[in-house]
Amino acid sequence: MRKKIVAGNWKMFNNLEESKELINGILEKLKNEKVNCDVIICPPYTSLSESAGLLKGSVVKLGAQNMHAEDKGAFTGEISSSMLKSAGCEYVILGHSERRTIFNESDDDINKKVKKAFSAGLKPIFCFGETLSERESGITNEVVKRQVTEGLKDIPESDLVNLVVAYEPVWAIGTGKTATPEQAEEVHSFVRSLIKELYSETAAENIVIQYGGSVKPENAADLLSRKNIDGALVGGACLKADSFIGIIKSA
Ligand code: PGA
């Protein structure tokens, strides 16, 4: 049985004070809940270290939203894997569609980051997904296959236990337009069969595939009840303790 994982991607929201307030709100509300899934929050870099302190001893784990593929160097404005580790991160989101489209990250760039994350002892939450025009052109599976195959190129099967993958159709992110559970399940099932092809049946059975794109407390239970949907990567709805907890409860 795969354990479900609910992760909150805070994006560029919440300064330090706001971050503390949100974390305290989440922890307070979680006290009264029996949590059956893994919970991760991914605040902005400037809040990571403080967040790690607040989360200590709780069920909530810490992740970052991106990192650079090099260990160190003259890369003004960038953050390395060891900086994230030392700030207390266990996870790092890589290949988010906003990184791919706004910051022009290629499959190859993302693959380098995934490799670096593993070697640094961070667990990647590796994202992929098609745009609306790709879906309408009927090439969803082709795009997803390319992103997953290239993104995981040369990653050994032994690393997959520390990998989370997230299917995030670009047209569903921040738009309020969720993929239907059927649409999501179809791609998740395709990705699981792709992992079987690239690795093995065991790897396919064990890999955690999250869905992301306008997940809310109202639609989470239906999505998360599908056979191949193992969790949620949440944007907008993770910025309020109540709605984030609502999704955790669904899982
Ligand atoms: P959303 O974002 O929940 O606001 O659609 C999801 C994501 O970008 O990970």
Side-chain angles (χ1 to χ4, degrees), residues 9 11 96 98 168 172-174 212-215 233-236:
N9 172 12
K11 309 194 181 185
H96 189 278
E98 285 149 21
E168 296 207 307
I173 296 177
S214 298
V215 178
L233 181 53
V234 187

Side-chain angles (χ1 to χ4, degrees), residues 2 157 160 191-207 227-228:
R2 296 179 295 269
E157 183 165 341
L160 297 196
V191 171
R192 206 174 294 287
S193 61
L194 178 61
I195 295 293
K196 182 176 165 188
E197 200 181 294
L198 295 173
Y199 293 96
S200 69
E201 180 136 26
T202 315
E205 258 316 298
N206 291 334
I207 195 154
K227 186 164 155 245
N228 288 296

Side-chain angles (χ1 to χ4, degrees), residues 2-3 5 91 111 114-115 117-119 122-126 148-149 151-166 191-209 230:
R2 296 179 295 269
K3 194 171 182 190
I5 302 183
Y91 290 86
N111 177 246
V114 171
K115 285 179 183 156
F118 281 128
S119 70
L122 286 163
K123 299 174 181 168
I125 301 176
F126 165 71
V148 172
T149 309
L152 299 183
K153 196 162 158 236
D154 301 327
I155 301 297
E157 183 165 341
S158 55
D159 276 343
L160 297 196
V161 286
N162 292 318
L163 177 73
V164 177
V165 302
V191 171
R192 206 174 294 287
S193 61
L194 178 61
I195 295 293
K196 182 176 165 188
E197 200 181 294
L198 295 173
Y199 293 96
S200 69
E201 180 136 26
T202 315
E205 258 316 298
N206 291 334
I207 195 154
V208 171
I209 311 175
D230 307 317

Side-chain angles (χ1 to χ4, degrees), residues 3 26 29-30 41 57 61 68 71 92 97 116 118 141 143 182 196 236:
K3 194 171 182 190
I26 292 169
K29 287 183 201 305
L30 277 182
I41 58 165
K61 296 168 178 175
H68 198 275
D71 284 326
V92 58
S97 70
K116 180 54 69 182
F118 281 128
N141 285 2
V143 170
E182 291 74 24
K196 182 176 165 188

